[in-house]
Amino acid sequence: MPPSTAPGSDTTWPRVLARRSRRHFLTGPPAATPHEVAERLLGVQAQVPSCAEEAVAVRGPAPTTVRAELAEGTLLRTWAARGTLHLLTADAAPAQLALLAAARTWEKGAWQRQFATAAEIGRLAELVATILPGRSLTRDELVAELDRHVTPELAERLGSGWGTLLKPLAWQGLIVNGEPRGSRPTFTDPATWTGRPFVLPATDEAARLLVPAYLDVFGPASPTAFDAWLLRGGTRRPTLRRWFAELVEDGVIAPVTVHDDERTDTGGEQRYARVADLDELADPHDTDPHDTDDEQVRLLPAFDQWVLGPGTGEAAVLAPRHRARVSRAAGWIAPVVVHRGRIVGTWEDEDTEPEWFDGERLPSAGALATERERRRRLLAARR
């Protein structure tokens, strides 16, 4: 690895959060399309479709364009990072799914005891690869097709609304959401949805694509943070270390020490960043647009990638004492108020006062009013 004294290897949290805000389309030029948002952020969580539309809209594009791009097949909806439903771009999805599949979480003993055996998942994969191409089936229709080939117990588990048994199939690039029929979701295969071949890359090739892409928008970050975002810590430690070490050796990423402020003689956290970003992170003047409150307050929806990408454990974004107010019961991630990159409160209704966190630097009333008006304007296209 390059020594930690390499040029550009020191930065500060204000610079990191300023750059991260721009990469998230929260400051600076907005995104033009949902595809641009989903590609940059490595997906938009879509467990709740309205939250996904808002996450896109607050970054520029009209909410209705999400549905349009899904219909065109340039976006797809499937189980991805951390086993949750995401909007992914058809171009970027294969790399993310390849790393999820490589972990083979469905082969672990605890998973097999609770859900299905590895042999059952293998059989389902064979069947789905035959049944879905060229078709779009509701869950009941899919279960009916599979029922003739699997045990009654397995068919019953397949009918579960949570789709646990479908996730390993999604990670292997075999199943995505199709066009809904009213309120009922449907399922098809990725090639049918996108209209082109859908092939997962080899595991190491996928890592070479996904690790730098993650560091671009959520970095500087540690290997542990990357793995927590992707698999809740499911990647084998030696494999994870090797991916990062090889990217360092090839000059793609480099170690970076992140300090709390401009004093770089007080220690700091070692993380990794793309080599292409080191100059920007090292620039002591690059805290723009921290000069004005108006450009630094954002009301973000539930399950926003600003929170999910680095995780609620990143203290520079969310003070540990407030973590439970954002990461709530049953996996719910609250809508948050972000000021200068930090989460300073939660909100439920745009017309009522947010629940502010104590000890945080809060935006002015004028800045909050400006952000509320900006949100109303961006969300006006919702139908």
Side-chain angles (χ1 to χ4, degrees):
M1 289 186 180
S4 60
T5 55
S9 62
D10 284 289
T11 189
T12 66
W13 276 114
R15 294 182 222 162
V16 168
L17 295 180
R19 182 184 182 277
R20 197 179 290 182
S21 294
R22 292 192 296 273
R23 299 303 290 164
H24 276 253
F25 301 109
L26 297 179
T27 58
T33 64
H35 185 282
E36 192 176 1
V37 175
E39 182 177 52
R40 176 80 61 81
L41 302 188
L42 306 182
V44 177
Q45 186 158 314
Q47 296 283 125
V48 181
S50 60
C51 291
E53 290 186 352
E54 281 194 37
V56 170
V58 297
R59 291 166 167 88
T64 51
T65 58
V66 172
R67 284 162 265 169
E69 289 200 6
L70 277 167
E72 293 167 1
T74 56
L75 290 180
L76 55 84
R77 184 172 183 259
T78 194
W79 288 281
R82 305 176 307 285
T84 54
L85 284 168
H86 276 70
L87 299 179
L88 301 173
T89 67
D91 295 328
Q96 187 171 144
L97 297 177
L99 291 192
L100 290 162
R104 313 294 289 186
T105 53
W106 62 91
E107 295 180 353
K108 295 181 179 179
W111 200 97
Q112 293 191 64
R113 287 190 295 273
Q114 186 171 359
F115 301 115
T117 67
E120 287 175 319
I121 294 298
R123 178 59 175 154
L124 289 177
E126 293 173 358
L127 293 169
V128 165
T130 301
I131 291 169
L132 281 183
R135 307 174 70 188
S136 184
L137 304 177
T138 66
R139 186 186 298 273
D140 289 343
E141 290 169 342
L142 178 59
V143 172
E145 292 266 2
L146 294 169
D147 187 51
R148 299 190 297 271
H149 308 284
V150 300
T151 64
E153 294 79 13
L154 183 58
E156 182 178 358
R157 279 174 276 158
L158 279 166
S160 165
W162 291 105
T164 303
L165 300 190
L166 300 182
K167 293 178 184 181
L169 309 182
W171 296 336
Q172 294 174 74
L174 299 174
I175 189 169
V176 299
N177 279 163
E179 185 69 26
R181 293 189 204 163
S183 61
R184 293 185 301 168
T186 69
F187 301 95
T188 186
D189 77 303
T192 298
W193 183 253
T194 62
R196 55 180 170 166
F198 192 88
V199 180
L200 303 192
T203 302
D204 286 352
E205 179 186 348
R208 288 189 64 82
L209 293 170
L210 198 59
V211 169
Y214 177 85
L215 295 177
D216 173 31
V217 71
F218 299 115
S222 66
T224 300
F226 169 78
D227 193 34
W229 161 76
L230 182 68
L231 268 166
R232 303 186 194 276
T235 305
R236 294 180 66 251
R237 300 295 98 183
T239 300
L240 188 63
R241 288 193 294 269
R242 177 173 61 80
W243 288 342
F244 275 72
E246 289 177 355
L247 286 166
V248 170
E249 184 177 351
D250 292 343
V252 178
I253 68 174
V256 174
T257 302
V258 186
H259 303 271
D260 288 338
D261 52 39
E262 293 301 326
R263 294 178 57 201
T264 59
D265 58 346
T266 57
E269 303 175 75
Q270 180 168 298
R271 300 183 171 215
Y272 292 88
R274 298 190 312 168
V275 168
D277 302 328
L278 293 180
D279 287 345
E280 188 177 6
L281 288 167
D283 185 355
H285 304 294
D286 188 25
T287 55
D288 177 67
H290 284 178
D291 298 333
T292 64
D293 283 338
D294 288 358
E295 295 187 59
Q296 276 295 295
V297 58
R298 291 290 179 258
L299 295 171
L300 301 182
F303 301 105
D304 195 85
Q305 290 295 84
W306 184 262
V307 184
L308 295 172
T312 56
E314 184 162 88
V317 173
L318 175 63
R321 65 183 180 278
H322 301 311
R323 187 177 183 181
R325 297 172 68 179
V326 174
S327 182
R328 298 177 180 175
W332 183 264
I333 301 296
V336 295
V337 186
V338 176
H339 183 226
R340 298 174 179 258
R342 285 186 62 84
I343 297 172
V344 299
T346 61
W347 64 279
E348 300 297 335
D349 188 308
E350 291 177 5
D351 296 320
T352 59
E353 189 71 5
E355 294 187 12
W356 299 114
F357 295 165
D358 62 278
E360 297 292 341
R361 179 176 178 178
L362 303 181
S364 66
L368 185 60
T370 298
E371 169 61 4
R372 283 173 169 157
E373 180 55 35
R374 189 188 78 94
R375 274 184 55 87
R376 291 189 185 99
R377 184 178 70 255
L378 292 171
L379 293 172
R382 183 185 297 278
R383 292 198 297 264

